[in-house]
Amino acid sequence: MNILFLDQSGKLGGAELALLDVVKDYPNALLGLFEEGRFRELAEQNHVSVKVLSHQAIAVRKESGWLAGLSSLGQLIPLVAKVTRLSHDYDLIYANTPKALVVGAIASLMSRRPLVFHLHDILSLDHFSSANRRLLVGLSNQFASLVIAVSQASLKSFIEAGGRAELGAMVYGGFQPEDYCDDRSSQTFQTKAHQLRASLGLQNRFIIGHFSRLSPWKGQHILIDALAQCLPDTIAVFVGDALFGEQAYEQELHAQVDRLGLNDRVHFLGFRSDVVPLMTMCDVIAHTSTAAEPFGRVIVEAMLCEKPVIAAQEGGALEIVESGVSGWLVPPGDADQLAKTIHHCRDHWEEALAIAKRGQEQAKRRFDLTATRQQIHQLLEQVIRARS
Ligand code: UDP
């Protein structure tokens, strides 16, 4: 199967990491990116053919209105022309992000190639302006042969926003357990984790890890507020960068840490590619999104690293974690409850370890990359068969 994959981002977010795992399965595929960056480098390291189709990121954001959309037409038209030309050599266009859908939809109309949209979002007003939501649903309904949602919550949001239910399918993100902490890899990761703890001067500290780009809705500020209520030997480590122009939030986080006198208890490590040893270094992983998480790769990754995870009780997290069984769920935005759950976890460490073990077993079983690839492959075959 020859597939033209499209993604708007040059940066590495969850949607891009998930796409890479799918693209690697198709040796004849081309990955078209709308921006230069780390994603291209990582894809090339993984022997994926990549073409950067635009050298300036499209300025429209999820929350932008029609006007911003219109002002980006100058950038969109040449991009659509390039994608249309390329798509003649492929059986299918696979749009992995909203802007890729916009470009892919027009290209699919011109080249008469089927279009698949992989929805890694919750189409709610928390995340999108109503204009953009209408646009994405309208384009999907009109041009896509299939919409693959990343969770039940994401699929439901598509249908509630007016998406045609018969277009939708749900496929969870998949992972290779051996990339995390299984019996074979555990020793290596433990050694690296030990070195990391020492290099950060965090021996004998209780470390809460937070792995996410810095963005207000990812709720790093909630963990900082909770930390102020935790025992003084508790440390928070934030892994992730302000990827999408959210530098003002990063400054606010630093100011919050200053204000609460937590400077020696908070570490900001920026974007890292050694997530697994860093997770292994932590005692607990916190996920604190204040709006529904479409899926939440970091939650599954923490479980695969056999770590107790405390996640915000909304969206995809509800489908991953069974509270008190395979992790804990706390109300989104509730720093007090998060602090209480961290206390509980420390006070009942045997229970926490049992929960982490169960979480790991469930994650291995439910979020297996081989199954994810098979499901996507079958769906794509159906699309191509229906067309021909
Ligand atoms: N991640 C990473 N380096 C970082 C922070 C995060 O590689 O410094 C990865 C993380 O391990 C996860 C992904 O980025 O695989 C984030 O995916 P998630 O679904 O949690 O959030 P999204 O970015 O899609 O909102």
Side-chain angles (χ1 to χ4, degrees):
M1 205 184 300
N2 284 340
I3 305 176
L4 175 59
F5 289 93
L6 299 176
D7 192 293
Q8 70 201 41
S9 182
K11 304 188 179 84
L12 282 174
E16 287 67 39
L17 291 166
L19 177 64
L20 190 55
D21 281 333
V22 175
V23 180
K24 282 195 276 187
D25 226 14
Y26 297 92
N28 300 325
L30 178 69
L31 173 59
L33 301 180
F34 301 173
E35 195 189 4
E36 184 52 82
R38 271 205 186 106
F39 188 22
R40 177 188 59 75
E41 288 164 23
L42 186 63
E44 285 178 349
Q45 281 161 21
N46 280 276
H47 313 291
V48 170
S49 304
V50 189
K51 236 190 183 98
V52 178
L53 303 169
S54 166
H55 289 276
Q56 199 193 348
I58 301 167
V60 186
R61 296 171 62 87
K62 286 178 181 173
E63 62 278 13
S64 310
W66 289 109
L67 225 53
L70 284 177
S71 66
S72 68
L73 275 180
Q75 269 177 291
L76 276 178
I77 291 167
L79 189 54
V80 168
K82 272 189 203 166
V83 171
T84 304
R85 264 197 311 278
L86 279 173
S87 60
H88 287 288
D89 295 332
Y90 294 87
D91 303 320
L92 184 141
I93 302 173
Y94 187 114
N96 195 54
T97 53
K99 288 173 204 169
L101 171 69
V102 175
V103 173
I106 309 171
S108 103
L109 176 72
M110 315 279 264
S111 66
R112 305 186 145 272
R113 294 295 183 273
L115 172 74
V116 171
F117 177 36
H118 200 144
L119 178 63
H120 294 270
D121 288 296
I122 299 267
L123 284 177
S124 71
L125 294 175
D126 283 334
H127 293 280
F128 288 88
S129 68
S130 61
N132 280 342
R133 197 166 67 145
R134 271 202 303 278
L135 177 71
L136 296 180
V137 169
L139 289 173
S140 303
N141 284 347
Q142 186 69 32
F143 298 105
S145 304
L146 168 70
V147 175
I148 304 174
V150 77
S151 63
Q152 293 294 354
S154 165
L155 180 59
K156 186 163 170 266
S157 77
F158 173 70
I159 296 167
E160 280 176 0
R164 282 163 44 206
E166 68 276 17
L167 285 181
M170 194 285 295
V171 181
Y172 284 132
F175 301 80
Q176 301 195 103
E178 64 272 25
D179 292 345
Y180 297 86
C181 282
D182 73 351
D183 295 341
R184 280 164 298 166
S185 55
S186 169
Q187 192 53 48
T188 317
F189 288 131
Q190 293 291 355
T191 308
K192 284 191 188 152
H194 195 73
Q195 289 162 353
L196 281 167
R197 248 187 201 256
S199 69
L200 292 167
L202 297 179
Q203 299 98 324
N204 305 319
R205 301 298 182 95
F206 189 82
I207 306 178
I208 306 167
H210 192 290
F211 294 76
S212 173
R213 59 197 153 89
L214 303 178
S215 171
W217 78 271
K218 291 288 188 180
Q220 280 85 359
H221 59 287
I222 305 293
L223 176 55
I224 296 172
D225 275 343
L227 185 71
Q229 303 176 38
C230 292
L231 293 172
D233 67 341
T234 313
I235 301 292
V237 171
F238 291 98
V239 179
D241 221 343
L243 289 188
F244 303 115
E246 278 135 342
Q247 280 74 14
Y249 180 62
E250 187 175 358
Q251 296 310 316
E252 280 167 33
L253 292 176
H254 285 283
Q256 184 189 7
V257 170
D258 272 347
R259 204 169 52 246
L260 294 170
L262 295 172
N263 281 301
D264 54 345
R265 291 175 54 198
V266 177
H267 293 252
F268 290 97
L269 303 188
F271 182 89
R272 300 280 294 236
S273 42
D274 53 346
V275 162
V276 178
L278 282 164
M279 281 191 173
T280 309
M281 174 191 83
C282 297
D283 295 292
V284 171
I285 312 282
H287 163 269
T288 55
S289 296
T290 56
E293 184 74 54
F295 177 60
R297 286 177 63 87
V298 288
I299 305 172
V300 181
E301 290 169 343
M303 290 161 87
L304 288 170
C305 289
E306 205 183 336
K307 292 293 158 182
V309 59
I310 308 174
Q313 191 170 8
E314 212 177 342
L318 292 169
E319 297 166 47
I320 301 172
V321 174
E322 201 180 335
S323 197
V325 177
S326 55
W328 283 279
L329 293 171
V330 294
D334 190 338
D336 294 349
Q337 202 51 45
L338 177 59
K340 279 189 192 133
T341 310
I342 293 168
H343 276 304
H344 176 89
C345 192
R346 286 194 75 164
D347 286 351
H348 301 82
W349 193 238
E350 288 301 315
E351 179 196 343
L353 292 180
I355 282 182
K357 181 87 208 141
R358 221 173 291 130
Q360 186 187 45
E361 285 158 10
Q362 289 194 7
K364 274 186 186 172
R365 203 177 56 248
R366 297 184 58 219
F367 305 107
D368 172 53
L369 181 60
T370 310
T372 298
R373 283 176 169 161
Q374 274 168 4
Q375 288 171 53
I376 292 181
H377 189 73
Q378 280 167 10
L379 288 164
L380 300 184
E381 273 184 341
Q382 282 168 20
V383 168
I384 290 184
R385 227 178 291 131
R387 261 300 163 107
S388 55

